[in-house]
Amino acid sequence: DVKVTQSSRYLVKRTGEKVFLECVQDMDHENMFWYRQDPGLGLRLIYFSYDVKMKEKGDIPEGYSVSREKKERFSLILESASTNQTSMYLCASSATGTGWYEQYFGPGTRLTVT
Amino acid sequence: SQQGEEDPQALSIQEGENATMNCSYKTSINNLQWYRQNSGRGLVHLILIRSNEREKHSGRLRVTLDTSKKSSSLLITASRAADTASYFCATDWAGANSKLTFGKGITLSVRP
């Protein structure tokens, strides 16, 4: 059974803290993604990675960075958390190749910045 | 923006009825996918339809794609209370390099 796991379901941090969100997939997928989901805005892509040590900005990268040192792990970093980063964060992974592939999502991390 | 737009934003039906949800998009696509999200959880892939396909079935799900109108519909037949969730369409537009663009979602409530 394919699996994407995220390090925390709920997280509460203070303004200015450095925050790490971890995502691990066990499907040997090349692509990994970080989204944030806010009411009325849907899912917005923050960053994605198509290979180890490779990353590409999504639609809203400001205030975030990412790290992918191993194929199975993709980390989202909030260098200095702010209240407007309070959101649901979703990690996903997908295979790549000549076909078209669905994304597999983790359960999400609901982050509150106070 | 290439973001798909779902219609309606919210839908409430009685158990046993059919639910039809629509999605429109703006640019040429490789494929269109539908996902479901139960409250407070991650998204689950439901079905993928390629740009050269017009209709696809999976259990109680039927998806159609009209590339001339840049639109898709998701039909859930004989709905159940367990179908209550948010539904998202996502497009893999040409040149997107494996990225998907999600719509804002449709909230479906199925009353027992």
Side-chain angles (χ1 to χ4, degrees):
Chain A
D1 206 16
V2 298
K3 209 168 215 179
V4 178
T5 57
Q6 295 183 228
S7 49
S8 305
R9 287 300 315 279
Y10 300 93
L11 208 53
V12 180
K13 295 291 182 181
R14 294 193 182 276
T15 301
E17 279 192 85
K18 191 169 187 175
V19 182
F20 293 87
L21 301 182
E22 302 280 327
C23 176
V24 178
Q25 51 96 2
D26 65 359
M27 296 163 280
D28 201 36
H29 283 167
E30 292 81 5
N31 302 317
M32 296 189 75
F33 308 83
W34 275 107
Y35 297 90
R36 65 177 282 177
Q37 183 178 25
D38 300 288
L41 298 177
L43 273 75
R44 293 180 292 168
L45 181 65
I46 305 171
Y47 267 98
F48 85 102
S49 169
Y50 50 90
D51 201 353
V52 176
K53 296 191 185 295
M54 305 301 286
K55 61 185 179 184
E56 193 167 315
K57 292 179 180 179
D59 300 318
I60 51 164
E62 297 78 18
Y64 303 94
S65 63
V66 291
S67 172
R68 192 164 180 203
E69 297 296 319
K70 294 184 178 181
K71 191 175 185 180
E72 68 271 19
R73 189 179 297 269
F74 192 35
S75 302
L76 179 69
I77 303 155
L78 287 65
E79 294 290 343
S80 177
S82 64
T83 54
N84 63 12
Q85 292 178 311
T86 291
S87 186
M88 171 72 118
Y89 289 87
L90 294 165
C91 174
S93 71
S94 74
T96 193
T98 56
W100 296 283
Y101 299 93
E102 64 266 36
Q103 291 187 9
Y104 294 86
F105 282 80
T109 296
R110 189 166 293 281
L111 172 67
T112 302
V113 182
T114 62
Chain B
S1 166
Q2 291 78 22
Q3 188 178 48
E5 291 185 11
E6 294 98 343
D7 169 59
Q9 289 186 329
L11 183 60
S12 180
I13 59 174
Q14 201 74 34
E15 204 166 27
E17 293 180 340
N18 296 341
T20 300
M21 292 168 270
N22 303 300
C23 171
S24 60
Y25 57 91
K26 295 178 181 176
T27 61
S28 296
I29 59 171
N30 293 321
N31 70 76
L32 186 143
Q33 304 180 31
W34 285 91
Y35 288 78
R36 184 188 74 225
Q37 184 181 35
N38 290 92
S39 181
R41 310 294 296 184
L43 277 71
V44 174
H45 178 262
L46 293 176
I47 196 165
L48 180 154
I49 186 165
R50 297 178 181 177
S51 60
N52 62 355
E53 297 176 316
R54 292 296 166 258
E55 188 171 312
K56 205 162 182 181
H57 296 255
S58 176
R60 294 184 297 113
L61 305 180
R62 172 177 168 253
V63 171
T64 61
L65 180 64
D66 186 334
T67 53
S68 67
K69 294 181 179 178
K70 292 187 169 60
S71 67
S72 172
S73 67
L74 171 68
L75 169 67
I76 303 175
T77 59
S79 64
R80 305 167 182 168
D83 295 326
T84 294
S86 293
Y87 291 82
F88 295 85
C89 71
T91 51
D92 176 1
W93 48 277
N97 191 23
S98 300
K99 291 188 290 185
L100 293 177
T101 302
F102 287 83
K104 295 179 181 179
I106 297 170
T107 301
L108 173 66
S109 298
V110 181
R111 302 186 301 274

